[in-house]
Amino acid sequence: MPGFEWLGEEEKNAVAEVMERKVLFRYEFANERKGVYTVREFEKAYADFAGCSHALAVTSGTTALKVALASLGIGPGDEVITQGFTFVATWESILDAGATPVFCEIDDTLCLDPEDLEAKITDKTRLIIPVHMMGAAARIKEIMAVADKHGIPVMEDTAQSVGGTLDGKALGTFGRMGTLSFDPVKTLTCGEGGMVITNDEELYVRASEYHDHGHDHRPVGRGNEGRRFYGFNCRMNEMQGAVGLAQLAKLPKMLETQKQTKAALKEALERVPGLTFRHVPDEAGDTATFISWFMPDAEQAKKLAELLAKHGAAPVPWGVNTWHNYAHWEHLHAGSSVIRSGWPFKRPEGDLNYDPAALPRTTALLDRCLSWQIMLGWDEDKLKQMTQAINQSVSEW
Ligand SMILES: *Cc1c(COP(=O)(O)O)cnc(C)c1O
C-alpha cells in the first residue's frame, strides 16, 4: 500500500518546479504559470490511467466522499448503504451530509455482501457505497445488478484500491462515481489528497463547482460570475498535484512489486492447516497491497497471530481493530458528536442508534481474519524471514 516508500528524486524535482514557478494555486495566475496546470495534468493522467472521462482532484479521500455525495444530491431523509468493514471516513461523510448510514454485512471478499444489500434496501435508500477494501475488488458486478434492479445509484469508495481492476475495468468506474485517497498510507500518496472519478459529465461539473465554493465552471473554467448552488473548498494545490503525477508514473511498478511479494507469501501461507484466503474476484486486478486470510475460528486466528508475532511477523488482527471494524466504533454506538445539539445523531425526525452487535457475520469474519500489509521494501531476506516465521509457527502449532 505505501507509495511513501518510493518518494524520491522525481517527487522532489516536481515540487521544486512548482516552487520555481511560484504558483501554488490550481486556478488563475495565467501569466505567472506559463501555461502549466499541474493539478489539471494529474487529473487528466489519472483519468487516462483509469479509463474514465473525468477526474477531479480534491484535498483528501474524505472530501472526495463529501464532494461526491453532494454531487449526487444526498442529504437529510436519505439512507445510504455501506459496509461494516471500512475506514470511518466512509460513514463520517454520510453523517456529515445529514443522511443516514445503513450498514451491511461483508462476505468473504471482505467487502459489501450483495445478498445482505438486497435485505437492507428500503424506500429511502438513495445511494449504495461499496468499499473495495485492502487492495481488491468487492463483488461489484453483483452489487451493480442489485442496485440496478432497484434503480439506486452506486458510488465506489476506492480509497484503498487505487490501481485495482476487475476484468480489466478500473475499480471506481463501475458505479456513477468513484472516490480515491492519496493519504500517507495509501498506494499512491501526495501527503494528503483524493480524487473523484466519473464518466458522467454533469456529475463532474457539479463536483468541480461544489469543491470550489460553487463557482460557475461552465464554460470557461473558473472566474465566471454566478453560482448554481452553494459549495465548499476542497481544492488540491499544485505541490500535491506534482507529487501525485510523479507517484502515478511509479504506480504500475509498485503494483507489480506488490504482486510478486504477495505470490511468495501466499505460497508460504498455504502450509498453515485450516487457512483459507480472502476471496479476490479477479486475481489479475488485485493491487496486492495486503494479503488477507481466514482461520477456521477466532481462537485459531488469535493463536496464529501470537505465534507469528513471536517469530517477528505479526499480522493485523482485524477482530480487535478499532479503525475499520464496526463492532469497535465506540463513538458511532454512543452517538457522540462535538455539536451542541447532538446532530447528526440527534435529529428532529428521530435519533440514530447503532447497536455494536448488529452485524454478527461481519464480526465473526473479522474475528477470524488476519492480514499483512505488503511493503514495497520487502526484499528476499525479509521474505525468507517471514517464510521461516510461518514454518516455525506451523511446527509449534
Ligand atoms: C483512507 C480512506 C478514506 C479517507 O481518505 P483520507 O484521504 O485519509 O481522507 C476513505 N475511505 C477509506 C476506505 C479509506 O481507507
Side-chain angles (χ1 to χ4, degrees), residues 59-345:
T59 45
S60 72
T62 309
T63 54
L65 289 161
K66 180 179 174 70
V67 169
L69 285 164
S71 310
L72 290 159
I74 301 300
D78 299 340
E79 289 181 0
V80 178
I81 297 180
T82 188
Q83 61 200 51
F85 182 47
T86 183
F87 182 53
V88 293
T90 314
W91 54 264
E92 282 173 342
S93 62
I94 300 168
L95 283 176
D96 199 57
T100 301
V102 173
F103 293 95
C104 256
E105 301 274 19
I106 55 167
D107 60 21
D108 60 351
T109 63
L110 295 173
C111 302
L112 197 141
D113 175 2
E115 266 178 43
D116 195 41
L117 170 61
E118 184 88 58
K120 298 269 162 79
I121 290 173
T122 73
D123 58 2
K124 291 189 179 134
T125 309
R126 292 288 172 273
L127 184 66
I128 298 161
I129 309 184
V131 187
H132 301 292
M133 281 300 279
M134 296 198 291
R139 286 190 162 88
I140 190 66
K141 290 186 176 174
E142 291 83 344
I143 292 165
M144 290 302 302
V146 174
D148 289 346
K149 189 174 100 186
H150 293 270
I152 301 166
V154 169
M155 182 189 77
E156 302 159 76
D157 183 340
T158 315
Q160 296 197 7
S161 296
V162 168
T165 57
L166 181 81
D167 297 344
K169 189 173 158 71
L171 302 182
T173 64
F174 285 82
R176 299 283 304 279
M177 302 184 104
T179 62
L180 317 173
S181 165
F182 309 131
D183 86 15
V185 296
K186 299 299 195 315
T187 304
L188 187 166
T189 187
C190 32
E192 293 279 10
M195 207 172 259
V196 177
I197 56 177
T198 184
N199 281 311
D200 185 315
E201 166 97 28
E202 171 55 19
L203 281 177
Y204 164 73
V205 176
R206 265 191 241 167
S208 177
E209 293 180 349
Y210 179 82
H211 107 298
D212 184 27
H213 300 295
H215 292 314
D216 194 343
H217 284 194
R218 305 158 306 155
V220 289
R222 190 177 184 272
N224 254 0
E225 298 300 322
R227 289 146 295 261
R228 292 191 289 167
F229 42 74
Y230 87 93
F232 214 71
N233 174 8
C234 309
R235 295 180 303 245
M236 181 178 272
N237 73 47
E238 293 285 279
M239 290 187 292
Q240 291 167 301
V243 175
L245 262 175
Q247 285 259 298
L248 181 57
K250 298 177 181 181
L251 184 57
K253 187 85 200 296
M254 285 186 209
L255 301 181
E256 197 43 50
T257 306
Q258 289 172 171
K259 277 183 201 192
Q260 281 174 16
T261 304
K262 183 167 180 173
L265 290 172
K266 197 168 176 191
E267 206 182 300
L269 278 170
E270 268 160 6
R271 281 169 230 143
V272 180
L275 181 150
T276 51
F277 290 100
R278 163 201 187 169
H279 179 67
V280 174
D282 177 8
E283 292 279 351
D286 182 4
T287 66
T289 58
F290 281 83
I291 181 162
S292 305
W293 66 91
F294 302 105
M295 292 303 286
D297 56 42
E299 205 180 308
Q300 291 184 63
K302 191 160 176 275
K303 185 172 161 189
L304 181 65
E306 281 167 6
L307 282 169
L308 287 171
K310 187 174 111 185
H311 296 296
V316 182
W318 292 107
V320 293
N321 180 279
T322 63
W323 282 28
H324 301 81
N325 182 339
Y326 175 91
H328 303 302
W329 292 329
E330 78 289 353
H331 54 328
L332 175 78
H333 305 137
S336 310
S337 174
V338 74
I339 294 163
R340 258 189 314 134
S341 68
W343 188 90
F345 296 102

